[in-house]
Structure formats: C-alpha cells, structure tokens
C-alpha cells in the first residue's frame, strides 16, 4: 500500500502543471522545556507557554510552496435573520471596528469570492470562467525518499490537503478565515467530538489562540466603561488584551477551597459590583481546563455558566486549548458548544466563541502558531465585522492552518500510522499524568504549602504560607513575597516557577505556578532540589 501511494504520488507530481517543492519534516527529537534551567535563563512566562513532546507521525504533512489564487467561500448561509436576542449588535460593538476599512480584503474581493463560488456551482453563470489573482508556481520536486520517511496515509493526507489549497501551494495568502477545505475538516472534527453539527463558516483560523482572543476583545471593548468578567487566577493574556484594548477587567475569584471551583454566586456578585460602578460587562471568560489552576469543570457547572450568560446577555468566551489534557478518571472535557446545544440552546440563544490551539494537548507545536476560534450566535452583520477585523491581518500562516486541521482530524483506525499515533499520544498523556501526581504529592509534603489536585492542563498552582519575616524581607527588596520566594528558589536551584502575583490571587495569599513538563526522569531531581531549598528557606525566615 505504501509503495502504491508513493507511486501515485510521483505520478501526480509529474502531471502537476502548478507545483511546488515538497518539504517533508524529518523526524526530530522534540524536547519539552525543563523546570531545570540556568539562573540566566528566562522563566516560563504567560506569553511563552511551554509544551509537551510533539507527536510527529500525524504531523509530517507540511509542504513548502508559493503564491496561489485567493479563494473566498461564500458568506455564511446557515445564519437566520433574527438575532434580536443576542447580546452583540452594530450599536454595541467597538465603533473603531465599524469605522475600520481594509480595501484589499473588502467589498470587491468579497464579491470576487462569491463569483468564484458561483462559477464552481454553475460554470455558465457569468461571461468569464475564472477569477484571477497573481500567482507563482515553482516546480514540485520528486523526492524518491518520501515513501521511506512517511506512512501511506500520511502521504495520502498530504495530497488531500494540497487539493484543498487553491494552487496546491502553501506559501501564499489564504482566505482571511483560513482555507475552506481545512475549515471543513475542523468543523467535521468538532461535530465528531460534540455530537452536534458545526459550520466551517463559523471557523476562523488564527496564529494560535491569542490573536483570536485579541480579535474578540477589539470587537467588544469600546472604552474603559466596557468590562470583561475574567477568572482570578487567570492566564495573563486576558488581562493584557483587556488593557491593550482599553477595557476594564472585572475579576471573579475561583474558589481554591473547592478545587478552584467556579461559583455562580461569585459571578453574580462581581457583575452587580461592576454595574454599580458604571461598567457595562460584555463577556465572560472561562478557561477549561484551567490555566494556571489545572481544574476541569463539571458538566453541571458548565450548564450553570451557560444559563448565566444567556440570562445576563453576555458573550461566553471559552478558552478550551487544554481539552486533551485530562489526568483524572472522574473528570472529562465537555466543550461549551456541546453543553449549550445539549441544553437546547442554539444560534439565537447564546453568543459563544470557543478557542483551540495546536500549542497544547499532546502535540505541543507552539512554534508553528496554529489555532482557531469557532464563532456562533452572532448576527450576519456582526459576523461581517469579525471578518473585517480578521482580514486586517490578511490570514494566519498556512502551516499552522494545516496543523490545526490535523489536530482535529487525527489518524483513524485502519490508517497505517494509527498505532504509532495512539502509542505516542497515550504515552505522552500518561507521562504527563504521572508527572502531575508526583509534583502534586511533593508540593503537599512541604511545610506551609497546599496544592489542589492536578485534574488537567499543564500546571500546578500551589499556595504557600510564607513566614512574616519572609514577607518583610520581600517588602524591603521592593518585590512581591511570592516573587521573592521564586527568585530565591531560582538562584539556589535553577528551578523556575512563576509567581502567583502574575496571575492574580486573593489578596493576602501567595502562590506560584509550576509546569509538569520536565522530562519524567528529571522530576525526582526537581523534587529533591525544591524540598531541600524550601526547608532551608523556611528555617531562615521562621518567625
């Protein structure tokens, strides 16, 4: 079969009149960052999340190419006209978005998109037979080693992907939402995951999840009087993007005593406080599984959250980038899309934006910058504004788009690479679970340290009760007490943790975030260094 597909590959290459050099990604070691780092190395930060070892077998489909014709799918036709109950209208979006125009992806190009689709469906519908764009078509190289490097299904998948790309090339701009064929693949993967249909026109492919978050903040925030409900502790992308776009962060505190639980009573309290201060709350951010807290929401809790957003007219911004990272048998991931549809809520009932990324999970391809957002429950007029914001950046990178489609459509039973894929995936997730449990137990054994169960994601967020003398020493050094502890730990051991003050925490409490990503065989050494340092630190500053 492998030889058959390889021969097919070569024949297709020879027949291709528009072609580009294939660039197979050779197998490479993919080592996760370690907590063991030289003191001069930068600590893990929110802007540069670390990642697990990469799955290579299902991701070896990347090709290098050049410019190809722009392809614009028709405007969404699945959207009903009456969106009077949805919370975002032309009157409530950022007026700067309405004012913004971007001619190179504006009305004329959108018309060209429609004409191209018309011609595909009805070749005689117009007095011409193609929509032209400037193209570049370098020759595809016939690489004889392809069949030795890749499985048959990987080669076949690569050709399927190339067939989805106009011009069969990856080096040019795509549609601003991403290549339609790849969005169709992602939508099919979402539908398979959730058991509910997904529309490729709801998918916006982005350079990781972060640009998608910025797009939504830009759309929703008009001034400092617009607020976004955001969890504390939180991934600092949210506080930073809210600040950059001129809005107000409305904090809601996760309950550490209940395993970082999300209480509806806390949401209501913070919403009312914001309203009394003249802040119009536009959206609720939920991170599930949690970063930096590692909790996984129960489905009934998610139902409460959906009901809250529906009743209060809030957009639900669901950060679901760690959906593959679940480490405990009594929890499983449920997307907010699945939960809301299971409750009987559809397009007209709740505005929901779900974020996914290739940077997390078991694949960890954070440098490839691939991701997407699924946008549902917005009127066609608002969808046009979201598209316009996306078009300002032209498009996300094509390699990242391909990876996002592969993440949502991995090898299936019967594929040649299925066994190696599942072996790598299961091995990585099993190892991450072991590392999480080992570090959780080690942290809970330290004096004055308590750590909730690591249910998912890639982090632990232990609380540390620092001695009064240590807090005074931190004040003298003009730094936060948890940052003082983290700096001392780094200087003494080379172990890097991120102070909890960078994520937000209940005032008067101190935490730090540590990853579970060092190689499994290095975890005992990390535990030993941390334990020895902590004992000496507590003895030095004991009251």
């Amino acid at each position: 079969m492998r030889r058959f597909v390889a021969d097919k590959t070569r024949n297709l290459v020879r027949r291709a009149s528009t072609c580009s050099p294939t660039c197979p990604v050779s197998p490479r070691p993919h080592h996760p960052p370690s907590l063991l780092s030289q003191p001069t190395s930068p600590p893990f930060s929110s802007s540069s999340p670390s990642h697990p070892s990469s799955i290579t077998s299902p991701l070896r489909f990347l090709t290098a190419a050049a410019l190809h014709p722009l392809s614009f799918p028709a405007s969404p036709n699945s959207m009903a006209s009456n969106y009077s109950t949805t919370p975002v209208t032309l009157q409530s979006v950022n007026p700067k978005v309405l004012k913004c125009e971007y001619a190179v992806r504006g009305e004329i190009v959108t018309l060209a998109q429609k004409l191209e689709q018309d011609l595909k469906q009805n070749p005689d519908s117009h007095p011409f037979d193609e929509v032209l764009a400037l193209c570049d078509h370098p020759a595809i190289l016939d690489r004889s080693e392809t069949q030795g490097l890749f499985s048959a299904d990987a080669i076949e998948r690569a050709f399927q992907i190339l067939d989805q790309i106009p011009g069969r090339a990856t080096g040019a701009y795509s549609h601003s939402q991403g290549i339609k064929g790849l969005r169709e693949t992602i939508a099919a993967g979402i539908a398979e995951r959730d058991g509910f249909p997904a529309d490729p026109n709801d998918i916006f492919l982005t350079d990781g999840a972060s640009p998608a978050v910025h797009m939504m903040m830009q759309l929703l925030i008009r001034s400092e009087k617009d607020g976004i409900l955001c969890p504390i502790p939180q991934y600092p992308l949210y506080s930073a993007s809210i600040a950059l776009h001129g809005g107000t962060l409305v904090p809601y505190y996760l309950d550490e005593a209940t395993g970082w639980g999300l209480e509806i009573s806390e949401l209501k309290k913070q919403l009312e406080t914001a309203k009394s201060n003249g802040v119009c709350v536009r959206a609720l951010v939920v991170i599930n599984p949690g970063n930096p807290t590692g909790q996984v929401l129960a489905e009934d809790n998610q139902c409460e959250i959906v009901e809250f957003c529906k009743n209060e007219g809030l957009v639900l911004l669901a950060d679901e980038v760690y959906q593959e990272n679940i480490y405990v048998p009594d929890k499983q991931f449920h997307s907010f899309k699945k939960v809301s549809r299971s409750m009987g809520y559809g397009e007209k009932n709740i505005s929901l934006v779900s974020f996914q990324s290739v940077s997390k999970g078991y694949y960890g391809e954070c440098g490839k910058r691939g991701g997407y957002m699924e946008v549902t429950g917005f009127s066609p007029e608002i969808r046009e504004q979201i598209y316009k914001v996306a078009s300002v950046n032209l498009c996300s990178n094509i390699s990242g788009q391909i990876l996002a489609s592969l993440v949502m459509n991995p090898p299936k039973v019967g594929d040649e690479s299925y066994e190696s894929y599942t072996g790598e995936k299961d091995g990585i997730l099993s190892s991450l679970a072991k590392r999480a449990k080992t570090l959780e137990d080690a942290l809970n054994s330290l004096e004055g340290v308590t750590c909730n169960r690591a249910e998912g994601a890639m982090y632990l967020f232990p609380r540390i009760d620092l001695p009064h003398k240590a807090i005074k020493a931190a004040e003298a050094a003009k730094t936060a007490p948890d940052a003082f502890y983290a700096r001392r730990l780094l200087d003494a051991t080379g172990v890097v943790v991120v102070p909890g003050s960078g994520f937000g925490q209940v005032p008067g409490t101190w935490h730090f975030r540590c990853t579970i990503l060092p190689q499994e065989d290095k975890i005992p050494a990390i535990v030993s260094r941390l334990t020895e340092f902590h004992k000496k630190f507590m003895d030095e500053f004991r009251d």
Side-chain angles (χ1 to χ4, degrees):
M1 177 62 182
R2 175 181 292 183
R3 187 172 298 279
F4 167 76
V5 176
D7 290 341
K8 176 183 175 184
T9 299
R10 281 193 288 274
N11 290 335
L12 286 170
V13 168
R14 292 190 184 102
R15 291 201 303 267
S17 60
T18 60
C19 44
S20 61
T22 59
C23 183
V25 180
S26 24
R28 55 180 172 81
H30 195 98
H31 302 295
S34 172
L35 282 177
L36 291 174
S37 137
Q38 297 298 322
T40 55
S41 300
F44 297 133
S45 68
S46 59
S47 60
S48 301
S50 43
H51 53 85
S53 299
S54 169
I55 287 291
T56 53
S57 53
L59 301 182
R60 297 173 186 160
F61 310 145
L62 300 183
T63 56
L67 298 173
H68 60 71
L70 300 175
S71 173
F72 298 91
S75 300
N77 55 17
S78 62
M79 309 292 289
S81 59
N82 184 7
Y83 282 78
S84 59
T85 61
T86 55
V88 184
T89 67
L90 290 178
Q91 290 72 40
S92 67
V93 299
N94 184 346
K96 295 176 183 177
V97 172
L98 297 176
K99 185 177 179 181
C100 168
E101 297 292 344
Y102 196 62
V104 300
R105 290 295 174 101
E107 179 182 359
I108 299 301
V109 177
T110 301
L111 175 60
Q113 161 201 349
K114 184 178 185 305
L115 292 175
E116 188 171 47
Q117 291 298 315
D118 289 346
L119 286 168
K120 287 181 179 179
Q121 296 168 7
N122 184 2
D124 298 324
S125 60
H126 297 283
F128 46 85
D129 59 9
E130 63 178 345
V131 177
L132 299 177
L134 185 63
C135 307
D136 184 19
H137 302 288
I140 293 176
L141 299 177
D142 183 3
R143 304 183 73 99
S144 60
E145 66 271 25
T146 299
Q147 61 181 324
L149 290 173
F150 305 105
S151 64
D153 59 305
I155 296 171
E156 187 68 25
R157 182 82 70 88
F159 272 92
Q160 291 172 3
I161 290 171
L162 283 173
D163 288 343
Q164 293 171 342
I165 304 174
R168 297 174 58 82
T170 63
Y173 295 134
S174 75
H175 182 273
S176 291
Q177 283 184 239
I179 295 164
K180 184 177 182 182
L182 300 182
R183 288 188 279 123
E184 289 172 344
T185 298
I186 290 169
I190 293 171
E192 183 177 352
R193 179 196 68 192
D194 293 343
F196 292 93
D199 186 343
N201 289 313
D202 292 340
I203 307 298
F204 287 74
L205 287 160
T206 52
D207 291 323
S210 298
V213 171
H214 279 286
M215 273 195 273
M216 293 313 301
M217 296 302 177
Q218 189 172 14
L219 180 83
L220 295 171
I221 295 173
R222 298 162 294 186
S223 72
E224 70 280 357
K225 291 297 184 181
D226 284 327
I228 308 292
L229 272 164
C230 192
I232 299 296
Q234 53 100 26
Y235 180 43
L237 163 67
Y238 293 99
S239 56
S241 62
I242 292 167
L244 282 171
H245 295 291
T248 296
L249 188 150
V250 179
Y252 67 89
Y253 288 92
L254 302 177
D255 186 0
E256 187 169 8
T258 60
W260 300 112
L262 195 165
E263 304 294 336
I264 299 300
S265 57
E266 170 70 4
L267 292 179
K268 291 179 178 178
K269 171 187 171 184
Q270 298 298 341
L271 178 63
E272 290 307 314
T273 299
K275 288 180 178 179
S276 67
N277 291 328
V279 174
C280 175
V281 178
R282 309 298 310 280
L284 168 68
V285 172
V286 179
I287 307 174
N288 181 47
N291 177 9
T293 45
Q295 86 284 6
V296 179
L297 293 176
E299 189 174 7
D300 57 351
N301 191 194
Q302 290 183 264
C303 291
E304 293 175 333
I305 293 166
V306 168
E307 197 70 41
F308 172 78
C309 288
K310 176 182 177 295
N311 292 339
E312 299 295 343
L314 301 178
V315 177
L316 176 52
L317 302 176
D319 184 329
E320 299 177 337
V321 301
Y322 293 103
Q323 59 190 257
E324 298 283 358
N325 300 98
I326 311 294
Y327 307 128
V328 292
D330 58 321
K331 289 290 184 74
Q332 58 181 311
F333 171 77
H334 300 282
S335 76
F336 273 100
K337 168 87 171 297
K338 174 185 175 182
V339 170
S340 62
R341 297 300 182 260
S342 298
M343 297 171 68
Y345 295 147
E347 283 281 334
K348 308 280 184 48
N349 305 116
I350 184 168
S351 296
L352 169 65
V353 183
S354 306
F355 305 104
Q356 169 66 311
S357 171
V358 307
S359 300
K360 319 298 182 185
Y362 52 87
Y363 18 88
E365 295 284 354
C366 58
K368 298 295 186 184
R369 307 312 301 141
Y372 68 83
M373 63 178 177
E374 184 185 16
V375 177
T376 60
F378 292 83
S379 70
E381 294 81 8
I382 298 303
R383 289 288 298 272
E384 288 178 11
Q385 300 306 314
I386 299 172
Y387 174 81
K388 183 168 65 175
V389 172
S391 71
V392 171
N393 292 319
L394 296 178
C395 69
S396 60
N397 79 88
I398 306 302
S399 294
Q401 292 188 32
I402 293 171
L403 280 170
S405 75
L406 296 177
V407 163
M408 297 306 293
N409 183 29
K412 303 292 192 296
V413 174
D415 291 342
E416 183 181 335
S417 63
Y418 178 75
E419 288 189 8
S420 62
Y421 158 76
T422 54
E424 284 189 75
K425 173 186 175 181
D426 293 345
I428 288 171
L429 293 175
S430 174
S431 178
L432 287 172
K434 292 176 185 175
R435 293 178 241 181
K437 181 59 176 172
T438 299
L439 285 170
E440 174 194 324
D441 291 343
L443 289 165
N444 279 319
S445 72
L446 301 178
E447 178 188 356
V449 176
T450 55
C451 183
N452 278 324
R453 185 173 67 151
E455 297 178 343
M458 296 177 180
Y459 315 102
L460 295 162
F461 199 66
R463 176 173 175 172
I464 178 169
D465 293 326
L466 293 168
H468 182 70
K469 284 175 62 176
I471 294 174
K472 286 296 184 183
E475 292 173 353
K478 297 182 179 179
T479 187
D482 49 10
F484 179 77
Y485 178 90
R487 179 58 185 269
R488 290 285 296 263
L489 174 64
L490 176 60
D491 289 342
T493 67
V495 174
V496 181
V497 298
V498 183
S501 49
F503 301 91
Q505 52 199 342
V506 173
T509 66
W510 310 108
H511 301 76
F512 58 84
R513 188 188 81 164
C514 61
T515 75
I516 61 173
L517 295 174
Q519 294 172 341
E520 192 174 339
D521 60 358
K522 291 184 177 180
I523 295 293
I526 292 172
V527 170
S528 177
R529 292 188 190 187
L530 175 60
T531 301
E532 182 180 358
F533 163 80
H534 186 79
K535 183 179 184 304
K536 290 180 178 179
F537 182 92
M538 297 299 283
D539 287 343
E540 178 182 352
F541 292 101
R542 196 173 303 280
D543 295 330

